Amino acid sequence: MIYAYGITTQGTRHIKTNTPCQDVHKIGKISNDIVIAAVADGLGSEKYSDIASKIAAETSVNYCHSNISKKDSGEAILNVIRSSFEMALNSIKDEATKEENDFYQYGTTLTLAVMVSNDLYYGHAGDSGIIVLKLNGLYNKITEQQRDDYGFVFPFTYNKEKWEFGTVENVASVLLATDGMLETFFPIYLRDEKVNIYVALARYLMDNNSLHIDEVGEGATQDRILTFICNIPDAQVNDDKTIAVLVNTAVKAGVQPPEYYLEVDWAELKRKRNEAWKREAYPHLFTDETNNDQATSDNTKIKNPTTTQEIFVEETDN
């Protein structure tokens, strides 16, 4: 049985500026063991992005729901996902034409997942993303945020050459997130650590050993997670926040060593990163150190949850 829940909340920055929520999620169930989910995030700089994100998510999920069946092969499912992206794009173009608006004001991202038992099929465009919990108990990010060298997103709407499609096997659960939420799983302090994902947060949101979604139900799970997400401090996320989670409760993910799940020592990681930044920014201050100390500095060089933490670097660290 695949259970699902999804949450979209308007960011405090959007509330303060009277900007509509530009995030959307959509979930569609074909059967007990085939479920579809999509998230879309309209570009804040574009006038009709909230409309575009809604069209993208709803059209793509509805198309997959109507065209995927139990008998389909993996390649057939991927072909349906590709077609759903085309359908979503054409629907946005039709909306712009009908309203006589500039199509380039309809920028949005689109990330879609189809979970078939323990297999994941996905399409991805933009800077949202997908995290999976594998059957071996490891959490993996399977998509990369599509941005240019200046940090601007490549939208789904007019960067068709960036669209990505793929398959992941042996999956226990799947989490889709728009960029505001996605980046909380990959804080800058973990970037150079052996485990670079915030495992405690991922486990809380997508591991059925924590969710007990099969026991309490999708509605109760969604309400509890909604409260948690609404209490994330503005210092961490003030953008719209969206996640969609699919959990196969027929399987039990393996367990990694206990240290894999420990809450992170943010104070120590912050100290290490600040020291590494100072060494890179002001190398002349460390010229009297021994070679061994310098080697340690090179190893930490910057390369470009029960409760939430303040886990981002201050502006002075950049």
Side-chain angles (χ1 to χ4, degrees):
M1 173 76 76
I2 296 176
Y3 284 87
Y5 74 87
I7 291 167
T8 293
T9 64
Q10 186 178 17
T12 54
R13 175 164 52 85
H14 283 209
I15 294 172
K16 290 174 182 176
T17 59
N18 200 29
T19 302
C21 180
Q22 294 156 331
D23 275 13
V24 175
H25 76 272
K26 174 77 173 177
I27 295 172
K29 296 187 176 184
I30 294 175
S31 67
N32 285 341
D33 55 1
I34 304 178
V35 181
I36 311 153
V39 300
D41 180 5
L43 274 64
S45 59
E46 297 179 5
K47 188 173 182 180
Y48 306 109
S49 62
D50 58 320
I51 298 172
S53 61
K54 183 176 181 181
I55 293 173
E58 293 188 351
T59 301
S60 59
V61 170
N62 290 341
Y63 184 89
C64 288
H65 190 277
S66 299
N67 291 278
I68 292 174
S69 68
K70 287 185 177 182
K71 69 179 188 302
D72 288 342
S73 66
E75 187 55 39
I77 293 172
L78 283 176
N79 285 336
V80 172
I81 294 173
R82 292 184 183 100
S83 296
S84 78
F85 272 46
E86 294 283 358
M87 182 68 69
L89 178 60
N90 289 335
S91 296
I92 293 171
K93 288 180 177 178
D94 290 345
E95 174 70 14
T97 299
K98 182 184 74 172
E99 297 297 327
E100 298 182 347
N101 292 326
D102 179 4
F103 168 66
Y104 289 95
Q105 289 297 310
Y106 285 80
T108 184
T109 71
L110 176 60
T111 298
L112 180 143
V114 179
M115 191 173 183
V116 182
S117 296
N118 299 329
D119 295 328
L120 169 66
Y121 305 90
Y122 68 89
H124 171 62
D127 62 355
S128 299
I130 301 175
I131 298 169
V132 299
L133 169 59
K134 301 295 293 291
L135 291 179
N136 62 7
L138 292 174
Y139 293 88
N140 295 328
K141 180 174 66 171
I142 63 167
T143 57
E144 295 298 329
Q145 293 181 296
Q146 299 174 350
R147 292 172 175 167
D148 64 20
D149 293 339
Y150 300 98
F152 294 105
V153 63
F154 291 112
F156 155 76
T157 338
Y158 37 87
N159 284 277
K160 189 174 174 180
E161 71 282 357
K162 298 288 185 182
W163 292 1
E164 297 177 7
F165 304 93
T167 305
V168 182
E169 299 177 340
N170 301 316
V171 171
S173 67
V174 179
L175 181 145
L176 296 79
T178 53
D179 66 319
M181 277 300 299
L182 182 67
E183 288 161 356
T184 64
F185 294 93
F186 304 96
I188 196 168
Y189 294 139
L190 294 180
R191 185 173 296 171
D192 297 323
E193 298 299 307
K194 183 178 180 181
V195 178
N196 63 3
I197 181 172
Y198 187 5
V199 173
L201 178 61
R203 193 182 198 190
Y204 181 75
L205 295 176
M206 60 186 297
D207 184 350
N208 195 46
N209 293 318
S210 301
L211 292 170
H212 302 292
I213 193 171
D214 50 344
E215 299 170 16
V216 302
E218 293 166 324
T221 298
Q222 181 159 313
D223 289 344
R224 176 166 57 85
I225 300 300
L226 174 61
T227 299
F228 174 84
I229 288 177
C230 287
N231 286 327
I232 294 176
D234 282 5
Q236 282 182 242
V237 186
N238 62 8
D239 195 5
D240 297 333
K241 299 183 282 292
T242 292
I243 62 171
V245 176
L246 311 177
V247 181
N248 185 351
T249 61
V251 299
K252 202 164 189 178
V255 178
Q256 292 293 309
E259 56 268 24
Y260 185 70
Y261 305 102
L262 292 177
E263 180 61 49
V264 178
D265 185 346
W266 297 111
E268 173 60 16
L269 288 177
K270 181 175 181 179
R271 185 199 64 76
K272 284 171 59 178
R273 183 170 177 83
N274 286 345
E275 181 178 343
W277 179 83
K278 290 174 184 176
R279 289 177 183 277
E280 183 163 302
Y282 307 107
H284 61 283
L285 299 179
F286 302 90
T287 54
D288 293 335
E289 294 189 352
T290 64
N291 290 334
N292 286 338
D293 288 338
Q294 187 59 52
T296 300
S297 173
D298 291 341
N299 287 335
T300 58
K301 185 177 180 181
I302 298 172
K303 296 179 179 178
N304 189 31
T306 53
T307 57
T308 54
Q309 306 279 340
E310 186 176 349
I311 55 180
F312 296 123
V313 176
E314 295 92 337
E315 292 183 2
T316 54
D317 292 324
N318 294 328

